[in-house]
Amino acid sequence: MARWRDGRGELVVGADGGGRRVPLEIAASYRARTRGLLGRDSVDGALLLTPAGSVHTFRMRMPIDVAYLDRRLRVVAVRTMVPGRLGLPRLRSRHVLEAAAGSMETWGLRAGVRVEVRLSPPCAGT
């Protein structure tokens, strides 16, 4: 799998069967991963941190859903985290998805579900 860059795209939940489409922000650089959802009051869709094996919610303003993904983008675990917590690293986790608390259940995202990441085409002149 090629390395991703910071940018936008679309998350397809349940990619094996067509799935639900969710707006996606990709944080692949160290700076973007470190910033994550800090300082935000909401998130439109989901944020993919890659590579990542764990997250924290220190200085966050809202509770979030966290999904740990393996190399093949299959969900290893899903947790809801309140602000001020440190998530435990998950074995086999290579990527982490973050979204507003309650979103992932609505999307049908749970352990064992495969997701697909579709990148948005780059803007002209960038």
Side-chain angles (χ1 to χ4, degrees):
M1 178 180 301
R3 290 189 74 111
W4 287 312
R5 294 180 176 222
D6 294 346
R8 299 205 171 270
E10 185 176 66
L11 179 73
V12 182
V13 178
D16 296 334
R20 180 169 185 158
R21 299 178 187 317
V22 176
L24 181 68
E25 183 178 338
I26 301 166
S29 68
Y30 176 79
R31 185 174 181 193
R33 288 191 318 267
T34 302
R35 184 177 52 238
L37 295 177
L38 294 177
R40 298 190 197 184
D41 293 319
S42 65
V43 58
D44 178 31
L47 172 67
L48 174 68
L49 304 170
T50 181
S54 66
V55 297
H56 69 82
T57 58
F58 299 120
R59 296 186 355 228
M60 288 236 182
R61 298 180 180 174
M62 61 185 172
I64 60 170
D65 283 347
V66 177
Y68 299 88
L69 309 175
D70 68 12
R71 292 178 194 264
R72 296 188 174 155
L73 303 181
R74 190 164 305 273
V75 178
V76 174
V78 178
R79 300 288 179 258
T80 299
M81 295 177 64
V82 296
R85 301 289 186 221
L86 177 64
L88 297 174
R90 302 288 169 172
L91 293 176
R92 300 185 343 258
S93 177
R94 295 293 177 259
H95 317 281
V96 175
L97 280 171
E98 297 180 341
S103 299
M104 293 185 183
E105 183 177 2
T106 302
W107 302 335
L109 196 71
R110 61 188 175 284
V113 170
R114 189 176 169 282
V115 299
E116 180 181 338
V117 172
R118 295 184 181 164
L119 303 177
S120 295
C123 298
T126 59

